[in-house]
């Protein structure tokens, strides 16, 4: 048994949790992990190369978003960018008001930061979503008040893959003079984005979600928005984010962004095809399942299904024995016994939310891997259901 497990090929379908580092990114990083170690903020000759490399990476990132390089601020990742945008965005506007709007399906980096702001005296409205996980524009319009200073709605959800109507939300926020932030960690380099066309004021992204390294990300801040610093202690990033620049990280992220955006259309087509094949097979071959999220307004790589009469944790264990690497809800939530706040927000009852499996596909996967994963999923669900007295009762009732 042990031997079999060791020799089995793992199938990685957890790209929403993190992606493998691209080889081109690693190659570009190597010099800055070795000989080119100088601090880009220094003024001696050895600082020149790292300084130029950071400048180039800033241009590579800005290009993907239709932004100006001066609007890109490097951070330690998506969590820091979200914290910075929300906390500093709220604080800079206290004279105007203390009301913030977020969606109820945000990543914990937003929901828990909003909880923190609430304790600090801000008022937070958490917009519900429809059964597909989309924010309703009518709800947003109703929630906006004279003292609303900040709206934060994610571009695409990390658990169910739903893509939000960001362009429309941006247009409303701009019209009303409200700061608009979007957590685009799952969307950046996965679907096309344009900060100008979408009226985005601030946007968070993270290197390790699109083939870059972990521990590096950025916050886009539109020119003219004087967002105060969040990290204090140095003049890096134009005085807005202190701390010695993570040169290898930034360089790797820049290369990953350039290559993934260059190949965006073909990757999207390939990944969407694998996603739709997965969805089609599960719906055809496994009874009593439910696709979570929107059928078309959906990230190319996301599949999230709930299966009745099975528990996500036992499915995860069983699939793991076959080398299938998937997730229940989000990686951050797994391990906790509470069902995902996202699945509850789209109206799933607790017991069904508990039986949910997310697969997140990338261009590194193959159709053969998808088929093997679905085969295993089917076998697992059948096996677990065959041991369930609830399922047995259910089948008996169906026959009556
Ligand atoms: C992964 C993720 C984050 C956190 O990014 P880190 O770089 O890992 O801190 C934030 N928001 C969303 C939607 C994510 O998927």
């Amino acid at each position: 048994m042990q031997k079999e497990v060791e020799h089995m090929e793992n199938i990685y379908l957890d790209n929403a949790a993190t992606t493998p580092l691209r080889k081109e990114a690693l190659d570009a990083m190597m010099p800055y992990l070795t000989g080119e170690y100088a601090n880009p903020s220094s003024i001696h000759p050895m600082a020149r190369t790292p300084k130029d490399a950071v400048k180039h990476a800033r241009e590579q990132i800005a290009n993907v978003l239709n932004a100006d390089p001066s609007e890109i601020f490097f951070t330690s990742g998506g969590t820091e960018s979200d914290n910075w945008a929300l906390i500093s965005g709220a604080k800079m506007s206290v004279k105007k008001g203390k009301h913030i709007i977020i969606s109820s399906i945000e990543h914990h980096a937003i929901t828990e930061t909003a909880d923190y702001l609430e304790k600090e005296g801000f008022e937070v409205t958490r917009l519900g979503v429809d059964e597909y996980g989309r924010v309703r524009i009518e709800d947003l319009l109703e929630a906006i008040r004279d003292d609303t200073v900040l709206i934060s709605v994610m571009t695409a959800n990390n658990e169910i893959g739903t893509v939000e109507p960001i362009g429309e939300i941006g247009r409303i926020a701009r019209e009303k003079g409200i700061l608009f932030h979007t957590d685009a960690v799952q969307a950046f380099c996965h679907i096309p984005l344009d900060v100008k066309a979408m009226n985005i004021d601030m946007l968070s992204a993270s290197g390790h979600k699109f083939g870059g390294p972990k521990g590096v990300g950025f916050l886009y801040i539109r020119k003219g928005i004087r967002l105060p610093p969040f990290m204090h202690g140095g003049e890096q990033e134009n005085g807005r984010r202190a701390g010695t620049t993570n040169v290898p990280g930034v360089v790797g992220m820049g290369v990953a962004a350039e290559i993934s955006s260059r190949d965006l259309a073909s990757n999207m087509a390939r990944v969407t095809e694998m996603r739709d094949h997965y969805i089609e097979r599960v719906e055809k071959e496994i009874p009593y399942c439910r696709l979570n999220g929107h059928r078309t307004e959906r990230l190319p790589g996301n599949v999230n299904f709930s299966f009745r009469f099975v528990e996500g944790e036992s499915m995860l264990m069983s699939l793991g024995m076959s080398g299938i690497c998937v997730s229940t809800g989000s990686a951050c939530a797994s391990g906790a016994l509470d069902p995902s706040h996202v699945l509850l927000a789209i109206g799933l009852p607790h017991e069904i939310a508990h039986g949910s499996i997310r697969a997140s596909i990338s261009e590194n996967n193959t159709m053969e891997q998808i088929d093997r994963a679905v085969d295993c999923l089917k076998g697992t669900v059948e096996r677990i259901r065959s041991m369930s007295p609830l399922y047995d009762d259910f089948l008996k009732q169906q026959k009556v």
Side-chain angles (χ1 to χ4, degrees):
M1 182 68 194
Q2 197 56 42
K3 232 188 182 122
E4 259 174 60
V5 171
E6 270 169 35
H7 289 284
M8 197 153 34
E9 181 219 5
N10 284 327
I11 296 180
Y12 187 73
L13 295 173
D14 199 21
N15 291 280
T18 196
T19 56
L21 182 65
R22 296 192 77 106
K23 177 161 189 318
E24 301 92 329
L26 176 65
D27 289 346
M29 289 166 75
M30 278 313 277
Y32 304 98
L33 291 162
T34 50
E36 299 286 357
Y37 50 79
N39 190 323
S41 300
S42 298
I43 42 174
H44 52 67
M46 277 180 69
R48 188 61 197 250
T49 306
K51 195 187 188 114
D52 287 347
V54 171
K55 179 168 180 272
H56 182 56
R58 211 182 296 284
E59 291 161 0
Q60 287 171 311
I61 298 282
N63 280 341
V64 179
L65 288 171
N66 189 23
D68 189 84
S70 66
E71 298 173 310
I72 304 300
F73 297 86
F74 294 126
T75 65
S76 66
T79 302
E80 184 191 323
S81 300
D82 283 348
N83 272 261
W84 183 13
L86 227 60
I87 293 173
S88 295
K91 283 189 177 167
M92 75 183 262
S93 318
V94 281
K95 280 203 195 94
K96 190 189 158 204
K98 297 188 103 181
H99 178 236
I100 297 164
I101 299 173
I102 66 169
S103 87
S104 53
I105 61 163
E106 297 296 308
H107 187 272
H108 288 297
I110 293 290
T111 59
E112 292 189 12
T113 305
D115 293 346
Y116 160 79
L117 284 169
E118 216 162 30
K119 288 195 196 93
E120 295 288 302
F122 289 86
E123 238 186 290
V124 181
T125 298
R126 297 166 181 82
L127 295 175
V129 291
D130 66 17
E131 62 185 303
Y132 307 108
R134 298 257 291 178
V135 165
R136 298 183 197 90
I137 297 299
E138 315 90 81
D139 292 355
L140 173 70
L141 290 170
E142 210 166 295
I144 292 174
R145 319 190 308 210
D146 288 341
D147 61 342
T148 306
V149 291
L150 178 62
I151 299 171
S152 181
V153 174
M154 66 202 319
T155 313
N157 183 266
N158 47 303
E159 294 187 35
I160 58 175
T162 301
V163 177
E164 298 296 333
I166 291 307
E168 229 175 311
I169 298 172
R171 187 177 49 74
I172 291 165
R174 186 66 55 87
E175 261 170 32
K176 302 201 181 270
I178 302 166
L179 210 51
F180 174 47
H181 166 260
T182 187
D183 174 340
V185 174
Q186 291 292 331
F188 182 77
C189 283
H190 294 283
I191 55 173
L193 288 175
D194 181 324
V195 286
K196 291 198 177 77
M198 296 171 143
N199 289 307
I200 294 167
D201 292 321
M202 298 186 284
L203 176 148
S204 304
S206 172
H208 74 100
K209 301 287 175 81
F210 57 92
K214 293 171 181 62
V216 66
F218 68 88
L219 181 65
Y220 157 82
I221 309 173
R222 186 166 65 85
K223 210 173 280 180
I225 293 172
R226 307 181 72 82
L227 190 75
F230 184 60
M231 303 287 268
H232 304 273
E235 284 308 305
Q236 292 90 353
E237 299 300 299
N238 216 4
R240 302 244 249 168
R241 198 279 187 183
T244 301
T245 312
N246 174 359
V247 181
V250 158
V251 166
M253 177 167 70
V255 169
E258 181 173 297
I259 297 176
S260 339
S261 69
R262 183 194 67 199
D263 300 341
L264 188 64
S266 59
N267 284 343
M268 279 181 70
R270 236 174 71 71
V271 173
T272 301
E273 199 186 343
M274 289 189 272
R275 176 197 75 187
D276 291 345
H277 180 67
Y278 184 122
I279 292 176
E280 204 181 302
R281 273 200 63 192
V282 169
E283 290 188 326
K284 206 183 287 168
E285 298 175 34
I286 309 180
Y288 313 116
C289 67
R290 177 195 197 274
L291 177 69
N292 297 315
H294 199 281
R295 216 164 265 276
T296 51
E297 295 300 314
R298 182 181 200 98
L299 286 173
N302 175 286
V303 185
N304 187 316
F305 270 106
S306 293
F307 301 96
R308 287 176 71 188
F309 312 107
V310 289
E311 251 224 279
E313 307 296 318
S314 15
M315 272 193 282
L316 211 61
M317 291 270 284
S318 161
L319 290 167
M321 305 256 274
S322 311
I324 312 295
C325 304
V326 289
S327 168
T328 58
S330 72
C332 329
S334 47
L337 279 175
D338 289 341
S340 136
H341 67 289
V342 177
L343 297 177
L344 296 182
I346 60 173
L348 292 197
H350 277 238
E351 69 276 14
I352 293 178
H354 266 304
S356 305
I357 290 288
R358 175 190 75 185
S360 37
I361 304 163
S362 86
E363 65 275 9
N364 300 318
N365 293 118
T366 62
M367 209 50 116
E368 289 69 38
Q369 289 182 325
I370 300 299
D371 274 322
R372 223 188 90 196
V374 176
D375 290 343
C376 287
L377 187 61
K378 191 177 164 186
T380 295
V381 171
E382 277 168 8
R383 190 156 15 79
I384 296 175
R385 280 180 178 166
S386 74
M387 298 182 293
S388 157
L390 275 175
Y391 188 58
D392 198 41
D393 288 349
F394 173 79
L395 287 184
K396 280 180 192 144
Q397 277 171 16
Q398 297 295 98
K399 280 189 192 125
V400 185

